[in-house]
């Protein structure tokens, strides 16, 4: 029998056995989908975005479906970093895949405090910073829309941890490359592109917004072309690895992101539609490489032919 | 909880916009409890609509036949209704908590509005099998056009009463009228109420139950993305004094003791 | 029989008998779809984007389908303003709906020259400025991504014409309200939101971009939630009328945009799927108003309930 | 050009991934010319895939029966293949220019690769009805599995030769081998060539035609969003020296004299 292709990738010092990661907020606290497959088989797991204090989240309705997409305004509901470490992490450490915590704060200091807390904890392999949330000190514009603020958040986290730091960018900017370069300069080991895109929907019968929060984040296949373009741009702008996500539903979608240069990919909304998506992508990439006689996945990454 | 790919045994229109779907699954049939639900995939051919759709388990028959009773209300249910015998779908389940069954001493009153009948049929199946107490079932529909599954319910031996809003079948009125009438009848032991239907109906039931200090369970239909507890999309506001600000319909429910829910904002 | 509802709206001095307009680049030069319905019945017609000189357009493939969306990189192919005036306009003037020309230039001066040319021509009711195209003098960033450049283009067009000027914004910006306010201050009589969103797609079999141009504009239902959110924001930011578009496929989609405050709507990609979409939306809005006993469409505009 | 909503008369699999769809439309049947195409809507239940799909008119029978022969290659054709008798679809057509028929004195050679057969069947129908000259039809397929509609072509009375790449039916090789052979046969009058199939095949045909100064028409399959000349999506590069830089397949084609196309970039 043929030798299995090598799917392992290196994300800023973090070694993954394959490039398939579950996206924050779409995989619970990491163990909920074990009835469907063993998460140890994934490249890594990113858990629900965590804040210093527990957050109840937004009033319902929190979700609305749009053509090939999902709008959500969960309001970053989470149990808080402390409860996560005490109640969820012990179960997670049994999983033989790196666990990445996704964090967000309302102020730069909150990000720093989260980094300090996580630094002391074993069993967390890396930190992903969500900078798509409103900066309460700066009038509510997202941290990730301004290069200086993005760099400041990144710098504060990097200087308070020895773990690899991934910065997850917001797509809602004029030029994503300026933000990407800013966080790279500030010490990020990798960049995730993209978070959900701002959107809204209206129920014409009730004449109300479909989300109680009015505005939400759009994810799912609808945004795939936009996400792919942003990844393509960021890959060209920075040297650090880029993790691609946005609308990935199967291994062919994953390949699109790898071809434009993503070193790994994340599966988000697809987990809701088919909870086995992530593991099926691992299998799909393995089969694809075998079929195409590709011994190492790195041969595909950035392999887009443009001439 | 399993994901299974099943071939439809049948999928037929049985009323105005109302369809009954049947497939065989020993696994689901043997594990399912009344009040639990399935997340049904709409087929591999399209990504629009994107998400699975939640449906109550309507009943189990012949040991392994699982039934879903559904209303065609939008794009997703319209796609489902186009499926034919032998077509393949993926279902995930059984999900959620299910109804807490009455104690042997208790009488159950089931109250359904429209397709709220869906999970109550299964509950009636199970309770009637027990043969401890005859189940009382009150069902309300807009018109006689939407009335379905009556013969099958009668076959179960339940004690059935009907309302229609236009009076075209059964008693003219809404289903909670029947409940009112029954509850004003002080003679009998305190019943447990099981209700499923539109939110205003459930709210009325909850209020009556509170007033009369009755135990009552409501099955809610929140918007769901995953049904698996991972998206936190299906929040409902918990009643004042509960330990959590929100409950999640797919995990903490879909069945709730009516006192747990904040009915002001539902 | 009941009186028909009044669907007429006023867009910066331009009176439309109903709020349904066909979007530039999706309705040809205005008469191609007459086999399907009489364009005189529409609120207005916006023709294919015109430049000073004819433009051959991009090499194929120019289009690719994405989940609920269409990517296009037509390359603004058009016959040029002169040929349009000589060959197409005579046929168009027989249509009893206002004809709006959509224009774009590579430099600010080209926009001004186009405005001068159009000013002399009868039968053109208004000008829509496409500012989503690359500014060759400023390194290729789109005119519409910078408030000053957007204002400069707007000002040059406004000062060279007496016709109403509509500025069509690009969605690819961090804060669309700053651009909206800039063009309003520069004299625009109305604003269209939104043009297509940048995106790309990859054919994993050939490992090539699906578009020869690599990058294209995403349109269709996939972008509707994003477009709706942008319209919602712009409506709150300016006093001039906003025309909403992006993914509108039927009258219910149109209602979503009207409810968030769009004074009129445009139908783009939907024309390809169902060439009768625009007229069906006119009928759909009429029926809706009759059913809901709404005598004037202005009662719906901005009628979103948020409390 | 009309938009018509039609009920399917049949939609059947007739080969590996190949289906034949039939519906009645007097309007389309009476106006359609060989080489013209239809834009077929994929149904109201979903927006994914979004766009209509272009298909050649495969033939007209019994005065009003319109046929489409299609290959299931992706999501859109997969959706189409799930349609059943009586299902409703919207079609727009007839679109495009169609084949320029041969002069009475000319012999026609039709060359089809795979589902390139689709428009050639209709062309053969029309030419055979003329009875002026027996039509020669060369068809190539990967394997015998993809070979369809042979009996019907024989019934038309065409002079048919087949190739398969694996030799499982007809002559082993590609369809242009047959053309080579026929054209090396100098005796006869100059034929007009009509070709439809994958671009490399069309390119070979075009080159042979140029070399031998033969008139040849190719039917192209560009990516189309509208099929109506309004999106400018279906551009193909015109040959050097043509008056336009690009032709539009839906308007200027889908049939082109092979000399009009720049084959270097196709
Ligand atoms: C636990 C649970 C069990 C359910 N059991 C059944 C059942 O047994 N039979 C049945 O017919 N239906 C049941 N439903 C409701 C069913 O899931 C929805 O009707 C269905 O998802 C609608 O899909 P659609 O695409 O056809 O409609 P959409 O196009 O999504 O929506 C059509 C209309 O229905 C409303 N709607 C959609 N989803 C929901 C929802 N989850 N709750 C309330 N309103 C909604 C929309 O606002 C819209 O007005 C259940 C829902 C839940 C959460
Ligand atoms: C004028 C014209 C006439 C046609 N006539 C026929 C016919 O009679 N029978 C038939 O089977 N097919 C015909 N085609 C091709 C047919 O339109 C495509 O196969 C169909 O649109 C594919 O849709 P899909 O959603 O199944 O595949 P998609 O998922 O869209 O694509 C599947 C694969 O097919 C390729 N593809 C898709 N569309 C085209 C296209 N237009 N040209 C080339 N490659 C494409 C894609 O790159 C992809 O690799 C015709 C095309 C044109 C333009
Ligand atoms: C319900 C939901 C919750 C999410 N929560 C978070 C979160 O807590 N932190 C974060 O960085 N991203 C969050 N996201 C964004 C996703 O991680 C991802 O970036 C986005 O959905 C795009 O990917 P997709 O199209 O594959 O879903 C959430 C997305 C969804 C749909
Ligand atoms: C094929 C195509 C060509 C277009 N050409 C133009 C153009 O010339 N000028 C312009 O301002 N917008 C152009 N657009 C953008 C549309 O007018 C519209 O803004 C966009 O498609 C979003 O609307 P929709 O989702 O309804 O299509 C084009 C869009 C498409 C799909
Ligand atoms: S539906 Fe996702 S958590 Fe309940
Ligand atoms: S397909 Fe739209 S112009 Fe040809």
């Amino acid at each position: 029998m043929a030798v299995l292709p090598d799917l392992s990738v290196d994300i800023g010092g973090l070694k993954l056995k394959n490039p398939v990661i579950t996206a924050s907020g779409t995989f619970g606290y990491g163990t909920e989908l074990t009835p469907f497959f063993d998460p140890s088989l994934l490249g890594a797991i990113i858990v629900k975005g965590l804040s210093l204090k527990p957050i109840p989240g937004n009033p319902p309705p929190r979700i609305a479906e749009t053509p090939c997409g999902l709008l959500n305004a969960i309001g970053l509901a989470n149990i808080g970093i402390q409860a996560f470490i005490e109640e969820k992490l012990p179960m997670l450490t049994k999983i033989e895949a790196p666990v990445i915590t996704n964090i967000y704060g309302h102020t730069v200091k909150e990000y720093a405090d989260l980094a300090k807390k996580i630094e002391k904890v074993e069993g967390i392999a890396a930190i992903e910073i969500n900078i798509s949330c409103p900066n309460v000190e700066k009038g509510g514009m997202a941290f990730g829309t301004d290069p200086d603020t993005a760099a400041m958040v990144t710098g504060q986290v990097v200087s308070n941890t020895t773990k690899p730091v991934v910065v997850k960018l917001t797509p809602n900017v004029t030029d994503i490359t300026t933000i990407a370069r800013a966080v790279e300069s500030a010490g990020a080991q990798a960049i995730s592109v993209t978070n959900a895109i701002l959107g809204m929907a209206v129920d014409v019968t009730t004449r109300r917004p479909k989300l109680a929060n009015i505005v939400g984040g759009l994810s799912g296949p609808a945004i795939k072309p936009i996400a792919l373009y942003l990844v393509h741009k960021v890959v060209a702008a920075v040297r650090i690895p880029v993790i691609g996500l946005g609308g990935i539903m199967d291994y062919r979608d994953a390949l699109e992101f790898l071809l434009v240069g993503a070193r790994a990919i994340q599966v988000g909304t697809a987990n809701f539609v088919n909870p086995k998506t992530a593991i099926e992508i691992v299998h799909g990439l393995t089969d694809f490489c075998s079929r195409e006689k590709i011994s190492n996945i790195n041969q595909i990454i950035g392999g887009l032919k443009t001439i | 909880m399993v994901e299974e790919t099943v071939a439809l045994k049948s999928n037929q229109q049985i009323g105005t916009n109302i369809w009954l779907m049947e497939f065989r699954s020993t696994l689901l049939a043997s594990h399912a409890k009344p009040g639990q639900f399935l997340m049904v995939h709409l087929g591999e051919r399209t990504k629009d609509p994107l998400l699975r759709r939640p449906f109550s388990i309507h009943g189990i028959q012949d040991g392994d036949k699982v039934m879903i009773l559904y209303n065609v209300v939008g794009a997703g249910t319209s796609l489902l209704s186009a499926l034919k015998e032998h077509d393949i779908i993926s279902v995930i389940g059984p999900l959620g908590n299910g109804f807490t069954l009455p104690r042997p001493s208790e009488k159950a009153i089931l109250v359904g509005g429209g397709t709220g009948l869906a999970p109550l049929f299964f509950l009636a199946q199970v309770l009637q099998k027990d043969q401890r107490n005859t189940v009382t079932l009150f069902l309300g529909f807009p018109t006689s056009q939407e009335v379905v599954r009556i013969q099958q319910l009668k076959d179960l031996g339940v004690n059935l009463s009907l309302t229609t809003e236009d009076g075209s079948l059964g008693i003219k009125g809404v289903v909670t009228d029947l409940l009112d009438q029954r509850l004003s009848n002080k003679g009998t032991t305190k019943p447990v109420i099981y209700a499923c239907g539109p939110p205003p109906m459930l709210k009325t039931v909850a209020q009556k139950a509170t007033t009369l200090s009755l135990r009552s369970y409501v099955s809610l239909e929140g918007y769901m993305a995953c049904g698996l507890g991972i998206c936190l999309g299906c929040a409902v506001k918990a009643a004042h004094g509960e330990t959590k600000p929100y409950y999640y319909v797919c995990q903490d429910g879909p069945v709730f003791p009516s006192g747990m829910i904040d009915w002001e904002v539902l």
Side-chain angles (χ1 to χ4, degrees), chain A residues 79-157:
Chain A
I79 56 174
I81 185 71
Q82 195 57 40
F84 171 76
I85 292 170
E86 288 166 17
E87 296 162 25
K88 304 288 180 184
L89 199 58
M91 266 163 26
L92 270 174
T93 49
K94 293 183 194 132
I95 295 175
E96 288 163 34
V99 172
I100 302 174
T101 48
N102 176 282
I103 60 166
Y104 76 95
H106 304 290
T107 62
V108 177
K109 183 165 179 305
E110 283 189 14
Y111 282 99
D113 289 348
L114 280 158
K116 284 180 206 160
K117 259 202 128 74
I118 291 167
E119 175 60 12
K120 301 198 205 94
V121 181
E122 267 185 75
I124 295 177
I127 298 175
E128 183 181 65
I129 319 180
N130 177 357
I131 56 170
S132 299
C133 358
N135 180 349
V136 297
E137 293 166 327
K138 286 263 179 79
M141 278 294 278
F143 289 95
T145 55
D146 173 62
D148 297 336
T149 320
M152 205 187 303
V153 169
T154 307
Q156 281 296 309
V157 173

Side-chain angles (χ1 to χ4, degrees), chain B residues 37 53-56 69-71 73-77 118 221-224 254:
Chain B
F37 67 99
R53 295 293 189 261
F55 296 100
S56 303
L69 180 78
Y70 64 101
N71 218 332
V73 295
T77 44
E221 295 189 358
Y223 287 88
M224 290 189 177

